[in-house]
Amino acid sequence: MSEHASLPVAVIGAGPVGLATAAHLAGRGLTPLVLEAGPRAAHAVREWGHVRLFSPWRELVDPAAARLLAGTGWRSPDPAAYPTGAEWADAYLQPLADALGDRVRYGAAVTGVARADRDRVVDSGREDRPFTVHVVRSDGGEERVAARAVVDASGTWALPNPVGADGLPAVGERAAAAAGRLTYRLPDLDDPATRARFAGRRVAVVGSGASAFTALAQLARLAVAADGAGTRATWVLRRGVSAATFGGGSADQLPARGALGLAARRSVEDGHTDAVTGFRTVAVERDADGRLVLVAADGRRTGPVDHVLVLTGSRPDLGFLSEVRLGLDERLSAPAALAPLVDPNRHSCGTVPPHGARELAHPERDFYLVGAKSYGRAPTFLALTGHEQARSVAAALAGDLRAAHRVELTLPETGVCGGTGLFDSQGEPDSATGCCSPAAAGAVDVELLRTAVRATQAP
């Protein structure tokens, strides 16, 4: 690869881990070229900008990024504060992209990655060829970018999981989504227009994670507001209800997740939510009034609803990587060596061990998936872990294998996954879904959580 040493390292995505990777590469004297499909940095983060993270600033700023920003006069936010997605983007991610300057290109959607003059089948001379990254610009123009290596940090936000229980869209799902009656995002009920669409309506919430819990709590809060009378939710769960349904299980030791589950449980007890369990959706139909009805594999049907919120996670888009030789786990679509470490059947976000370039490597040399995309369909990704991935991969690409293989991350033993928007006070977080926050754990009434769990175990 020495003859290609002058080429940049292509980084796909100007999100938190993509920009951190670029900062680490620049710090090692390599030239990053960040290709972002959106018009500015952190485009995906901005789409959930109304959601407050459950991770404090001290865990959201990458060390190499902080060093790069220091030269611009940037001042770090209060390390103990909890930003919203929009605040994270505006106060840190956009300044970081600005500091990287013309090493970040916007309006550059990557449509394919390959070896120059070699398709996926060809062995001969493969590793001696640079990568070609195919890009469609926002003006419609196309180009190929030559790169010495490729780091895909494009995330999973763009490909939410469908409501269909078999992993594919249910019959009628696409039509309902096209009509705006079914969506895969947590609504911003503080936005007047969005609030008006949901106020006084019946809403089906599909999912059993923190986003679903948050939606149920927000809808319950709307139901008791002066402008929300008549708002009701139908909670659609694929599994039955158990102690683990409400979080706080012994496997993940996340008491704040239990508190979030408790908020969902209260929405049921207070009569704002009806729960439907063991419901595996196969079709989305309309009744005579045009309202939506979910149909299960066993023939059961929900009552008619005005909106369906499908909050069942997301998955990586691997379509533009068809000419790259990937080594992926057959279940999670994560790198084969990483998959056992992030398997949600065994791990919660705080129990995923640190990992780096070795676990992220693929049969295609000098190609890496990092960030949430590296976890495939596992929902256990942490920003702290992403920063360590960026550091390790940059070291490997710089030829410093000792540093690449060295662990430089200590995760909190009992962290709180975060990002929910349930709490408004920065000092009183009470919910969880994304990046770990040890400080938040102390804010939970643990005895109240234990009472909730005991209640679910009662005969």
Side-chain angles (χ1 to χ4, degrees):
M1 282 285 286
S2 59
E3 61 183 295
H4 308 301
S6 62
L7 294 176
V9 175
V11 179
I12 306 174
V17 181
L19 292 172
T21 300
H24 280 277
L25 290 168
R28 286 187 166 272
L30 301 179
T31 302
L33 177 60
V34 183
L35 301 169
E36 167 59 46
R40 51 182 176 163
H43 179 68
V45 172
R46 295 177 192 278
E47 291 197 354
W48 50 268
H50 61 287
V51 175
R52 188 173 297 282
L53 283 94
F54 211 82
S55 225
W57 272 112
R58 62 175 171 268
E59 296 175 5
L60 297 173
V61 176
D62 175 82
R67 290 192 292 271
L68 180 62
L69 283 165
T72 69
W74 178 80
R75 299 186 64 179
S76 176
D78 178 359
Y82 297 84
T84 63
E87 290 166 346
W88 194 19
D90 290 337
Y92 164 61
L93 296 171
Q94 189 63 61
L96 175 56
D98 294 343
L100 288 163
D102 59 8
R103 291 172 289 191
V104 180
R105 286 182 52 188
Y106 302 113
V110 174
T111 59
V113 179
R115 289 284 186 179
D117 307 324
R118 300 291 189 273
D119 65 22
R120 182 173 175 172
V121 176
V122 178
D123 292 331
S124 176
R126 186 175 192 85
E127 292 193 353
D128 296 328
R129 308 298 295 169
F131 287 94
T132 55
V133 182
H134 293 237
V135 174
V136 175
R137 300 190 303 267
S138 56
D139 64 6
E142 299 181 42
E143 61 182 287
R144 296 197 310 171
V145 175
R148 61 177 292 185
V150 176
V151 181
D152 183 354
S154 57
T156 62
W157 176 256
L159 204 59
N161 289 327
V163 73
D166 58 3
L168 297 172
V171 174
E173 180 174 349
R174 292 185 181 91
R181 305 290 291 276
L182 181 150
T183 183
Y184 305 92
R185 309 302 188 197
L186 189 65
D188 180 4
L189 295 184
D190 290 328
D191 174 71
T194 303
R195 188 178 183 88
R197 287 200 303 272
F198 284 86
R201 305 292 185 179
R202 168 76 74 163
V203 183
V205 177
V206 185
S208 58
S211 292
F213 293 166
T214 301
L216 294 173
Q218 290 180 339
L219 290 168
R221 191 161 58 189
L222 177 59
V224 298
D227 60 342
T231 305
R232 291 187 59 81
T234 296
W235 187 16
V236 180
L237 293 137
R238 292 175 179 173
R239 301 177 182 176
V241 174
S242 68
T245 299
F246 300 102
S250 60
D252 57 25
Q253 297 184 340
L254 301 176
R257 180 177 170 84
L260 177 58
L262 181 58
R265 177 174 176 266
R266 282 175 175 165
S267 75
V268 177
E269 291 182 339
D270 292 346
H272 303 303
T273 300
D274 302 319
V276 181
T277 61
F279 196 98
R280 298 182 175 273
T281 305
V282 296
V284 182
E285 298 180 351
R286 288 178 178 266
D287 70 2
D289 297 323
R291 302 174 80 193
L292 300 181
V293 176
L294 302 183
V295 182
D298 59 9
R300 286 183 295 157
R301 304 167 68 88
T302 65
V305 298
D306 300 289
H307 302 281
V308 177
L309 298 179
V310 183
L311 303 173
T312 53
S314 56
R315 59 185 66 177
D317 178 5
L318 301 171
F320 64 87
L321 303 178
S322 62
E323 297 307 313
V324 178
R325 295 178 176 180
L326 302 177
L328 298 176
D329 176 74
E330 67 276 8
R331 291 184 303 138
L332 296 182
S333 296
L338 177 61
L341 308 181
V342 301
D343 185 349
N345 294 300
R346 301 179 181 180
H347 293 284
S348 67
C349 63
T351 65
V352 172
H355 53 272
R358 281 187 293 195
E359 293 80 9
L360 297 168
H362 290 274
E364 197 74 73
R365 193 180 72 181
D366 295 334
F367 177 89
Y368 296 93
L369 299 176
V370 298
K373 190 168 185 175
S374 71
Y375 277 37
R377 299 195 187 192
T380 47
F381 178 72
L382 299 173
L384 278 174
T385 306
H387 296 160
E388 173 65 2
Q389 289 181 344
R391 183 205 62 80
S392 178
V393 167
L397 291 175
D400 188 351
L401 297 183
R402 177 175 294 182
H405 299 162
R406 184 172 62 241
V407 173
E408 295 186 5
L409 173 68
T410 302
L411 291 173
E413 292 183 3
T414 55
V416 177
C417 291
T420 67
L422 262 189
F423 62 92
D424 297 315
S425 169
Q426 297 222 5
E428 299 180 356
D430 61 358
S431 55
T433 65
C435 304
C436 264
S437 163
V444 178
D445 185 335
V446 178
E447 185 54 41
L448 194 60
L449 169 61
R450 290 173 179 157
T451 300
V453 173
R454 284 197 298 268
T456 66
Q457 296 173 325

